[in-house]
């Protein structure tokens, strides 16, 4: 009813971008500890690790994006990618599904979780 859904690929890209800024912020904070070289070096290394981590996340999402199914959103008619059984449009956040059995159902990201098999 007022819930905002967002595309999984965009969520991961936003996380990677935030890692870049967090890493730079940590390194910037390290500058204030010039009188304490050990603290400054630790801050610089942690900041660098955050930036390297963002590179790894960007690589991961790039590889994942190549496996996503390209579709045209029925709402905004722009091309988007669907990752998993349910996802949202990258442009207008319209809930989308590739599973015909889920058509007409309430959007729930839990549909993407692996089904529990009972013996």
């Amino acid at each position: 009813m007022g819930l905002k859904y967002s595309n999984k690929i965009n969520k991961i890209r936003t996380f990677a971008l935030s890692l870049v800024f967090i890493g730079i912020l940590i390194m910037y904070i390290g500058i204030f500890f010039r009188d304490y070289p050990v603290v400054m070096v630790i801050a610089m290394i942690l900041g660098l690790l955050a930036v390297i981590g963002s590179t790894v996340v960007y690589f991961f999402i790039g590889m994942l994006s190549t496996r996503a199914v390209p579709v045209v959103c029925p709402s905004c008619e722009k091309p988007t990618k669907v990752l998993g059984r349910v996802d949202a449009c990258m442009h207008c956040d319209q809930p989308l599904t590739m599973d015909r059995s889920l058509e007409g159902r309430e959007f729930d990201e839990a549909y993407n979780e692996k089904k529990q098999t009972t013996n």
Side-chain angles (χ1 to χ4, degrees):
M1 286 184 230
L3 293 175
K4 179 117 161 101
Y5 306 110
S6 63
N7 184 273
K8 287 186 280 278
I9 293 174
N10 285 347
K11 283 180 187 177
I12 298 171
R13 285 179 180 158
T14 301
F15 172 71
L17 182 62
S18 66
L19 270 179
V20 171
F21 287 119
I22 289 168
I24 292 171
L25 180 68
I26 291 170
M27 288 188 279
Y28 185 74
I29 289 171
I31 292 173
F32 292 111
F33 293 97
R34 280 180 277 197
D35 296 336
Y36 307 99
V38 174
V39 176
M40 184 180 80
V41 168
I42 290 172
M44 294 296 174
I45 290 172
L46 288 176
L48 181 65
L49 288 176
V51 172
I52 290 171
S54 74
T55 305
V56 171
V57 172
Y58 271 121
F59 179 77
F60 170 74
I61 194 59
M63 300 307 323
L64 202 59
S65 181
T66 61
R67 295 187 314 168
V69 179
V71 297
V72 175
C73 176
S75 195
C76 67
E77 298 182 354
K78 293 181 182 176
T80 186
K81 293 183 178 184
V82 175
L83 194 59
R85 292 177 72 196
V86 294
D87 204 353
C89 175
M90 290 179 165
H91 309 285
C92 68
D93 295 328
Q94 169 73 30
L96 301 171
T97 183
M98 295 298 294
D99 190 346
R100 292 205 183 268
S101 67
L102 297 176
E103 286 181 5
R105 286 188 174 177
E106 184 68 29
F107 184 83
D108 188 2
E109 290 184 358
Y111 291 135
N112 289 324
E113 296 173 7
K114 299 219 186 255
K115 293 182 180 178
Q116 300 290 333
T117 57
T118 55
N119 294 344

